[in-house]
Amino acid sequence: MERQIIRINNIKCKPNDGLDVIRKKISKLLMLSKDDFVFEIAKRSIDSRHKPDIMYIYSVNVLKVSKKSLESVMKKVKDKSVLLTKKVYYELDDYKKANIELSEEERPVIIGFGPAGLFAALNLSRLGLRPIVYERGLEISKRREKVNTFWNGGALDTNCNVQFGEGGAGTFSDGKLNTQIHETTGRISYVLKTFVEHGASDEILYVNKPHIGTDVLAKVIVSIRQEIIANGGEIFFGTKLEKINLVKNEEARQVDSIELRDLSTGKIFTKNAKRVVLAIGHSARDTFEMINDLGICMEPKPFAVGVRVEHKQELINYNAYGEAVNNPKYNLPTADYKVTYQSTCTGTKRGVYSFCMCPGGYVVNASSEENALAVNGMSYSSRAGENANSAIIVTVTPEDFGDGVLSGVAFQRKLEGAAYRAGNGKIPVQLFEDFCNGVKSTSFGKVTPNTKGETNMANLKEVLPEYLTDCLVEGIHGFNRYIKGFDNGDTLLLGVESRTSSPVRIIRNENLYSINAKGLYPCGEGAGYAGGITSASVDGIKVCEAIAKELLN
């Protein structure tokens, strides 16, 4: 659905200005009384080019004007930053709500309860289609206990950890909601609005780089789960997909049933199902192996690997805001960064870039397999930690790791095994100066690790291949032109960052099901169709739409 609005761009305000200041500026631009219109903030970004003079830059939507049409208001406006346009709203009601009672085998089944599975289940439940969700990990309260036990030196549960469980890998992250996909259908705004309805701050609707934080995100996910159940959906935790059974149907194979293991008892049971959403996440390597053995069409895809880097957050704040960080009138957000560099040191151009930057956050042990170690970044909503951390990564392609369908998985496992050995089972950490020199660190400088999970000094050049370590050294030095002090000798490197995205894509057709298994809907990040919480959520919505069209129209 489209709605006519007046969009006003480039409204400049001091960080401590309130909504009353914005309203006055709108009033002046539109030549209206300040009480004659209804508006919403569409976007807010920070302009720190002239620090310490920091400005917030707003875009706003004027939705309604008292006793006047928007067209008549615009006739008097000459400012080019003001335009009459339309805003797209996503309407789930476009898909007729079910007035039918689906049989058990007709009810949609969803494998995985990360963002893609979450939104597929939510929208299917809102349409009255009573989805059934199976997730190998546990609900958040029990999952948090398992993860904290592991971080404190206990055993790893390979089915319930930072990668697997309610909310997916994003639950133990910064909860970033920015995305590279474009808003053309209103689905992105719908995702953000849904998070707000379930407890997130309404700031995520307009800040330039929205985030929730692991603590708030967990509560939001539980609230969404409760709505799904209230709408007639069912969610089973501790239940792992073991097999998909296909039958020949005319010219193609069709999903007929699935076999699942109850991890609490070890027993396997069969569930008849015609429509299965495969929202498995990027770390479900055993599931990739199973569907590859079934002959489901898949292909390897590029991804990126590297390390986490840690700096003092105060260094990042000062780089972003200068002396404005000491202005008591400004309540500036904890600063983040995004950096890219084109490396040429290996004779081949390779991009080196930051990914999933966590202001005031932690580097976490994100392992999901025995004798293997992977790291990720995590922040709480306050972003109040002493250090900033970010993945610094380099893209790798099948030319690097092999063109077999699962060669990327094997490459990840090789790196994670090397990281586990280098850190003797703990997160391997090294000062950047020592990394450049290829020697194991023996002590910390100004930066000490801020981690969830224990660390050990190591030489990360023994973990990553030389062509990647050379690119990382060149790139980190190159980033110093944007952030002074980025390549300080006591900057910390922690490894290995290997789960940036799925190493495979499960190929699907225009109807969003597998090109050689009707009724199997690859979905989200693990299937190779998303890259983060928001894009995975949007893909879950798209798969819901495809199923709804088939069942309801």
Side-chain angles (χ1 to χ4, degrees):
M1 180 182 75
E2 291 183 336
R3 178 177 177 180
Q4 195 173 56
I5 61 168
I6 294 175
R7 168 62 69 89
I8 306 176
N9 296 315
N10 203 35
I11 296 177
K12 297 182 180 181
C13 296
K14 292 289 187 181
N16 51 322
D17 288 343
L19 289 177
D20 57 326
V21 174
I22 300 173
R23 182 174 286 277
K24 286 178 183 177
K25 289 177 180 286
I26 298 171
S27 176
K28 183 177 180 181
L29 283 165
L30 300 184
M31 292 173 279
L32 295 170
S33 169
K34 62 182 180 67
D35 298 320
D36 281 350
F37 55 88
V38 176
F39 78 97
E40 66 180 7
I41 299 173
K43 200 77 173 175
R44 188 188 76 195
S45 57
I46 298 175
D47 183 354
S48 58
R49 291 174 297 173
H50 308 292
K51 50 184 173 283
D53 188 17
I54 307 294
M55 302 296 291
Y56 278 1
I57 310 298
Y58 290 92
S59 293
V60 302
N61 296 330
V62 176
L63 307 175
K64 182 180 179 182
V65 177
S66 299
K67 300 178 182 179
K68 291 184 180 181
S69 69
L70 300 184
E71 291 92 337
S72 65
V73 172
M74 286 297 296
K75 287 179 180 179
K76 298 180 181 180
V77 177
K78 305 300 181 183
D79 195 307
K80 292 182 180 179
S81 66
V82 184
L83 63 154
L84 189 66
T85 185
K86 291 181 179 180
K87 179 179 177 179
V88 178
Y89 292 84
Y90 181 82
E91 292 286 342
L92 188 60
D93 292 341
D94 290 347
Y95 302 87
K96 297 180 296 184
K97 190 166 184 177
N99 293 314
I100 56 175
E101 185 66 32
L102 295 177
S103 66
E104 280 299 304
E105 69 175 9
E106 288 283 354
R107 291 173 66 186
V109 170
I110 298 167
I111 306 298
F113 202 49
L118 188 81
F119 271 84
L122 176 64
N123 277 12
L124 287 167
S125 76
R126 286 177 170 178
L127 290 171
L129 294 174
R130 300 172 56 236
I132 304 169
V133 180
Y134 296 104
E135 164 60 52
R136 74 164 74 185
L138 299 175
E139 57 265 58
I140 280 174
S141 58
K142 295 179 181 178
R143 182 185 181 193
R144 187 181 286 116
E145 292 177 7
K146 293 270 189 182
V147 169
N148 283 332
T149 295
F150 171 61
W151 283 342
N152 290 322
L156 171 69
D157 186 326
T158 56
N159 287 307
C160 186
N161 44 61
V162 170
Q163 306 296 343
F164 301 132
E166 185 174 20
T171 301
F172 294 97
S173 72
D174 182 55
K176 275 183 174 41
L177 301 176
N178 51 303
T179 177
Q180 299 299 315
I181 62 175
H182 298 294
E183 178 70 290
T184 57
T185 63
R187 294 189 188 104
I188 295 173
S189 297
Y190 176 83
V191 168
L192 300 180
K193 183 172 177 286
T194 300
F195 283 137
V196 171
E197 290 171 350
H198 287 275
S201 166
D202 62 3
E203 278 199 354
I204 68 172
L205 299 175
Y206 57 81
V207 295
N208 189 40
K209 297 178 181 178
H211 81 106
I212 296 183
T214 180
D215 47 339
V216 175
L217 182 58
K219 296 174 184 177
V220 169
I221 291 166
V222 170
S223 179
I224 294 175
R225 181 229 300 169
Q226 291 168 344
E227 183 187 338
I228 293 168
I229 294 170
N231 291 338
E234 294 180 90
I235 302 167
F236 298 93
F237 296 104
T239 308
K240 179 176 175 290
L241 176 68
E242 294 285 349
K243 188 178 180 184
I244 301 168
N245 296 315
L246 305 170
V247 294
K248 187 80 171 178
N249 184 8
E250 298 175 351
E251 297 181 358
R253 293 188 297 173
Q254 162 78 47
V255 174
D256 179 65
S257 64
I258 55 176
E259 295 178 22
L260 302 124
R261 185 182 299 275
D262 182 332
L263 295 174
S264 64
T265 64
K267 293 182 178 179
I268 292 179
F269 63 95
T270 300
K271 165 69 181 160
N272 293 329
K274 291 185 176 180
R275 295 169 187 84
V276 175
V277 179
L278 205 59
I280 53 177
H282 58 39
S283 295
R285 294 163 172 171
D286 48 1
T287 308
F288 295 152
E289 291 167 353
M290 180 267 290
I291 61 177
N292 188 52
D293 290 343
L294 282 174
I296 303 298
C297 286
M298 304 166 65
E299 61 184 5
K301 60 176 279 293
F303 55 102
V305 296
V307 295
R308 280 268 152 188
V309 300
E310 283 195 283
H311 299 90
K312 288 288 189 184
Q313 183 61 51
E314 60 187 27
L315 182 147
I316 306 302
N317 288 346
Y318 190 83
N319 176 81
Y321 305 131
E323 293 299 331
V325 296
N326 300 315
N327 188 333
K329 294 182 180 179
Y330 290 174
N331 184 23
L332 294 167
T334 310
D336 62 7
Y337 63 80
K338 183 177 181 179
V339 287
T340 63
Y341 183 86
Q342 192 79 7
S343 169
T344 59
C345 64
T346 61
T348 301
K349 289 184 179 180
R350 289 181 184 269
V352 186
Y353 58 99
S354 59
F355 171 79
C356 188
M357 193 269 158
C358 294
Y362 298 81
V363 176
V364 304
N365 188 330
S367 304
S368 62
E369 294 183 338
E370 296 286 357
N371 302 318
L373 196 143
V375 294
N376 194 15
M378 183 183 85
S379 298
Y380 294 97
S381 56
S382 65
R383 289 178 160 177
E386 185 176 330
N387 290 352
N389 76 76
S390 177
I392 300 298
I393 49 178
V394 184
T395 300
V396 291
T397 70
E399 292 182 359
D400 298 306
F401 53 75
D403 58 5
V405 171
L406 300 179
S407 294
V409 172
F411 183 71
Q412 288 176 327
R413 280 176 164 156
K414 180 179 179 180
L415 298 183
E416 292 168 16
Y420 183 89
R421 292 188 296 274
N424 195 24
K426 300 176 182 179
I427 300 171
V429 58
Q430 186 177 21
L431 276 67
F432 180 58
E433 181 180 11
D434 294 330
F435 182 72
C436 294
N437 294 325
V439 297
K440 180 178 178 179
S441 295
T442 57
S443 62
F444 297 119
K446 292 181 180 179
V447 189
T448 56
N450 203 24
T451 66
K452 297 289 186 178
E454 296 178 295
T455 63
N456 260 339
M457 297 286 194
N459 182 6
L460 287 167
K461 279 199 169 179
E462 297 175 353
V463 173
L464 293 159
E466 185 176 2
Y467 67 90
L468 291 179
T469 60
D470 288 349
C471 289
L472 290 171
V473 169
E474 184 184 2
I476 291 171
H477 281 310
F479 297 151
N480 202 64
R481 73 178 67 171
Y482 310 114
I483 302 174
K484 297 302 179 184
F486 199 93
D487 64 351
N488 285 345
D490 58 1
T491 296
L492 298 183
L493 276 59
L494 304 93
V496 62
E497 178 84 28
S498 53
R499 311 282 184 96
T500 54
S501 66
S502 180
V504 301
R505 179 174 288 110
I506 308 169
I507 305 172
R508 65 190 189 189
N509 61 20
E510 67 276 6
N511 297 311
L512 303 192
Y513 57 76
S514 164
I515 61 173
N516 66 339
K518 186 176 181 181
L520 183 66
Y521 293 84
C523 182
E525 191 163 347
Y529 294 97
I533 292 172
T534 301
S535 59
S537 301
V538 166
D539 203 55
I541 293 170
K542 290 166 65 175
V543 167
C544 165
E545 292 165 7
I547 293 173
K549 286 177 182 177
E550 186 176 344
L551 285 173
L552 302 179
N553 295 334

